[in-house]
Amino acid sequence: MTRLSIAPRARDDAAVAAVAERFARRVRAVPPGTCPLAFELAFLQASAAQTCGKCVPCRDGLPQLAALLSRVASCEADEEDVARMRALAEMVRDTSDCAIGYEAAAALLDGLDAFSDELESHLRLGRCRKGVGQTVPCETLCPAHVDVPGYIACVAAGAHADAVNVVRKDNPFPTACAFVCEHPCEARCRRALIDAPVNIRGIKRYAVDAAPADTVAPPPRSVDTARTVAVIGGGPSGLTCAYFCALMGHRVTVFEARERLGGMMRYGIPAYRFPRERLDEDIRGIMQAGTITVRCGVEVDAETLRDIAGTYHAVYVAVGAQAGKGLSLIGAETEGVLSAVELLGAVGDGELPDFSGKRVAVVGGGNVAMDCARTAVRAGAEEVSVVYRRRREDMTALAAEVESAVAEGVELVTLEAPERIECDEEGRCAALVTRPQMIGPVKRGRPAPVAADKPERRMPVDVVLIAVGQDVVTAPFEEFGMRVDRGRLVADERLRAEGFEHVFVGGDCQTGPATVIRAIAAGKVAACNIDEHLGYHHKLAYEVKVPSALPSDRTPMGRVELGERPARERKRDFTNVEMGMSGEEVAQECGRCLRCDQFGCGVLEGGREQYA
């Protein structure tokens, strides 16, 4: 009689799984600047180690491909080696029995195409392309290249004002980024090799809570240059440019269409995520930088632009993406249908809508859709639903924002595409009709929805909020003579507007809707290039001494997360929902930083992304 055992057949599988998780952490933390061909080689070698040995293409082909790619990565190959590698990879892809073989070969072929310039450099020049070389992950992946290890070290030492000024060396909105930054700096944090990325944004939040930005004096202003700079738009990008230009000694005038500064930080981000008084702290800090004159309530048309361009030595256009996109739906003009920008803009002006007892549907799946849904909850809506044509995991909103919305009672209606809006006898919104979708092939990095063979769904609603994107109002700038492409103002990589010597463009109006930190980064780049255009090369005087690095604590430790007020309380008001760290928590989190600026690549030439 056969005896069975409950023991696993391969007794080391559990241990291998632990090694695999460790390997996965290393992949997630791949350093910026890694040679793409070297990384492709590592992937191919790992794939070869997974072969079961059954089919020859996988068993013998993957090691041969790895050997050929190793020659390429080492700059020892020629065109014939590459042609042989491509032919072999195509054979492995087309004849392997399972995905271990054919997916590895397909990934190699895709990589050779994606990294064709790097391949050419290895073959022709015998070296990697310029820019390849590891850098400090958090500094590199922050669009503004903030000295992250520096301000973490200051916070750890209790020097909170110094931490604020370390941030302001590259980013004059430390408070804004402490509350609403999507923290791309954490994506490749080297601490992830041990446990999890450092909570960089949470540490910054502790710093600005301990030392509000408007209580910390900015660096000294350079000598007055008598040069004038006009900034069109008082949002994050425009104010960043104004701040740095003022510190450089230039005289700046900011033209803002609305009555108050802040742009989409004031008129697009609800106060429960970013309290207005905290935004004003950053703005007051910026105004202390030098000669900055603000003219609010000024709508800039083509004639005004001509006058400004003829009066000022340089002009920076940073008007953002302030117009809401619509949907081509039957009934889109019905009473009760609003754009997300319209709603959030009114809330930013202090005009909270009354949705008491109403059923609200929000169309979209991004952060703006979540902001609208959570605002509707606070405006007294009886029911709030987010209608999205893809799956929940395909939403572009931050996972934390989606979870918070659900906790506050928002229903997610996924795989439903808006079809039309029905109205009642009085012409008011009565229902949103949707067409069910099913998820299909991946297109541009995300699975695309296709219509499903299911009946339409009718959702009785009183209000429909359209949150499917934002547009740039380009007409005045086109009339002025600036080039527009696909709804965006065109500029080169130095942000100079095409066809103009002294006009620069940046932020959402140039890139399309993006994040606050990307807009800030554009403002910083514009200020530096405007300074060069005016004939200067200022280096700003930041006199903060960053504490020396202590030995790294390599003990695996849990990451401190920022908590939120209970949903049943926070959904009734616009008070900030997020709670900061305690002193004990921030000390532990700062202690997890491995100080990559001082250990490893950070001390190499080119190992840090630092510029004034």
Side-chain angles (χ1 to χ4, degrees):
M1 180 178 178
T2 302
R3 294 186 177 182
L4 302 180
S5 171
I6 61 171
R9 177 180 174 185
R11 296 180 183 273
D12 289 331
D13 274 353
V16 169
V19 174
E21 175 53 33
R22 197 168 189 169
F23 184 75
R25 289 202 305 269
R26 183 165 290 274
V27 171
R28 288 193 293 269
V30 58
T34 298
C35 171
L37 297 180
F39 193 69
E40 284 280 348
L41 175 60
F43 177 79
L44 190 56
Q45 290 169 333
S47 300
Q50 295 174 338
T51 183
C52 71
K54 170 182 173 292
C55 67
V56 173
C58 178
R59 183 192 67 213
D60 297 343
L62 293 185
Q64 291 181 40
L65 286 174
L68 288 167
L69 185 55
S70 179
R71 286 177 52 78
V72 174
S74 301
C75 302
E76 299 171 351
D78 55 25
E79 293 284 357
E80 291 184 4
D81 290 319
V82 174
R84 189 159 54 252
M85 182 169 59
R86 282 187 180 276
L88 179 57
E90 289 172 357
M91 186 273 289
V92 174
R93 179 196 62 190
D94 296 339
T95 60
S96 292
D97 276 359
C98 80
I100 289 176
Y102 60 69
E103 175 54 28
L108 173 59
L109 290 167
D110 289 343
L112 293 177
D113 292 335
F115 306 124
S116 58
D117 290 342
E118 181 69 17
L119 177 64
E120 187 73 10
S121 182
H122 278 239
L123 293 177
R124 302 291 185 195
L125 304 177
R127 63 173 183 264
C128 291
R129 295 172 69 207
K130 182 180 178 181
V132 171
Q134 289 188 23
T135 53
V136 176
C138 51
E139 288 184 2
T140 301
L141 295 179
C142 170
H145 304 304
V146 171
D147 181 1
V148 174
Y151 76 73
I152 289 178
C154 289
V155 173
H160 304 117
D162 284 350
V164 169
N165 263 340
V166 169
V167 176
R168 289 204 295 204
K169 177 181 179 296
D170 302 286
N171 170 9
F173 283 98
T175 314
C177 288
F179 278 82
V180 299
C181 185
E182 294 189 331
H183 45 82
C185 53
E186 297 179 14
R188 307 279 184 84
C189 175
R190 203 155 287 160
R191 183 73 196 196
L193 294 172
I194 298 173
D195 38 49
V198 174
N199 192 333
I200 296 171
R201 184 177 70 84
I203 294 171
K204 189 189 294 128
R205 167 73 186 274
Y206 187 89
V208 298
D209 284 349
D214 56 349
T215 67
V216 180
R221 180 179 184 245
S222 297
V223 176
D224 187 272
T225 65
R227 296 292 190 269
T228 57
V229 178
V231 174
I232 314 298
S237 195
L239 290 179
T240 297
C241 181
Y243 172 80
F244 285 115
C245 284
L247 286 180
M248 293 168 182
H250 310 311
R251 302 173 185 178
V252 183
T253 302
V254 178
F255 297 86
E256 168 56 43
R258 292 186 182 265
E259 294 305 314
R260 302 190 69 184
L261 296 173
M264 295 306 285
M265 292 185 297
R266 185 181 301 277
Y267 297 103
I269 300 175
Y272 64 81
R273 285 182 58 207
F274 188 21
R276 298 295 174 259
E277 62 271 17
R278 303 306 304 271
L279 169 61
D280 291 336
E281 290 173 8
D282 275 347
I283 293 175
R284 285 193 292 268
I286 289 170
M287 292 301 125
Q288 296 172 20
T291 307
I292 302 177
T293 303
V294 176
R295 295 180 58 187
C296 287
V298 178
E299 290 278 358
V300 175
D301 55 19
E303 189 60 37
T304 308
L305 276 169
R306 293 189 189 97
D307 181 58
I308 290 172
T311 304
Y312 291 82
H313 293 105
V315 180
Y316 180 51
V317 178
V319 293
Q322 301 274 354
K325 281 187 177 179
L327 286 175
S328 299
L329 293 178
I330 297 173
E333 304 302 320
T334 300
E335 180 184 343
V337 180
L338 305 170
S339 78
V341 172
E342 184 181 352
L343 172 74
L344 296 176
V347 173
D349 279 327
E351 301 171 6
L352 180 64
D354 183 8
F355 290 158
S356 298
K358 293 186 177 180
R359 299 160 297 181
V360 178
V362 181
V363 177
N367 285 327
V368 173
M370 298 305 136
D371 287 342
C372 283
R374 298 176 71 184
T375 297
V377 169
R378 287 160 175 77
E382 180 181 325
E383 297 176 4
V384 180
S385 302
V386 170
V387 180
Y388 187 54
R389 65 195 186 103
R390 287 183 166 94
R391 304 168 302 175
R392 174 172 175 167
E393 53 265 42
D394 301 320
M395 286 183 167
T396 57
L398 290 174
E401 289 299 311
V402 178
E403 291 168 8
S404 293
V406 171
E408 292 170 5
V410 175
E411 179 187 17
L412 301 183
V413 181
T414 57
L415 289 173
E416 295 282 348
E419 188 75 10
R420 63 184 179 276
I421 297 170
E422 295 181 356
C423 59
D424 59 18
E425 293 79 3
E426 286 78 31
R428 294 188 295 264
C429 179
L432 174 66
V433 179
T434 62
R435 179 174 296 279
Q437 306 289 294
M438 64 175 286
I439 209 64
V442 173
K443 295 180 180 178
R444 293 189 293 275
R446 282 198 299 170
V450 294
D453 186 18
K454 298 178 181 178
E456 291 181 342
R457 174 176 180 173
R458 184 180 185 275
M459 297 176 57
V461 294
D462 305 297
V463 177
V464 175
L465 303 175
I466 307 297
V468 293
Q470 295 156 248
D471 281 328
V472 181
V473 178
T474 60
F477 304 97
E478 286 187 274
E479 187 179 341
F480 170 63
M482 297 174 70
R483 183 165 165 254
V484 174
D485 181 34
R486 290 178 289 183
R488 304 172 187 174
L489 301 178
V490 176
D492 62 21
E493 65 176 328
R494 299 186 182 277
L495 300 185
R496 193 189 301 270
E498 188 174 297
F500 294 86
E501 280 297 312
H502 71 310
V503 178
F504 296 78
V505 178
D508 289 0
C509 65
Q510 186 247 340
T511 62
T515 60
V516 169
I517 187 60
R518 291 195 178 279
I520 290 168
K524 172 185 167 182
V525 169
C528 291
N529 291 334
I530 286 171
D531 188 58
E532 294 283 344
H533 166 73
L534 296 176
Y536 299 89
H537 187 73
H538 283 99
K539 292 290 184 181
L540 302 181
Y542 285 86
E543 300 175 352
V544 176
K545 181 172 175 55
V546 174
S548 300
L550 299 174
S552 298
D553 182 354
R554 305 174 186 181
T555 306
M557 190 174 299
R559 167 184 158 112
V560 175
E561 300 287 2
L562 298 185
E564 291 187 338
R565 296 162 52 214
R568 63 178 178 275
E569 296 176 7
R570 69 182 191 239
K571 70 179 185 180
R572 302 179 187 277
D573 57 47
F574 279 84
T575 304
N576 184 227
V577 302
E578 194 173 63
M579 299 181 294
M581 293 182 188
S582 66
E584 184 180 32
E585 288 174 323
V586 82
Q588 176 176 303
E589 200 62 16
C590 288
R592 296 177 62 237
C593 177
L594 299 176
R595 288 303 299 267
C596 299
D597 60 327
Q598 296 298 314
F599 300 122
C601 65
V603 295
L604 296 176
E605 182 180 352
R608 300 190 65 189
E609 290 281 347
Q610 289 285 294
Y611 53 89

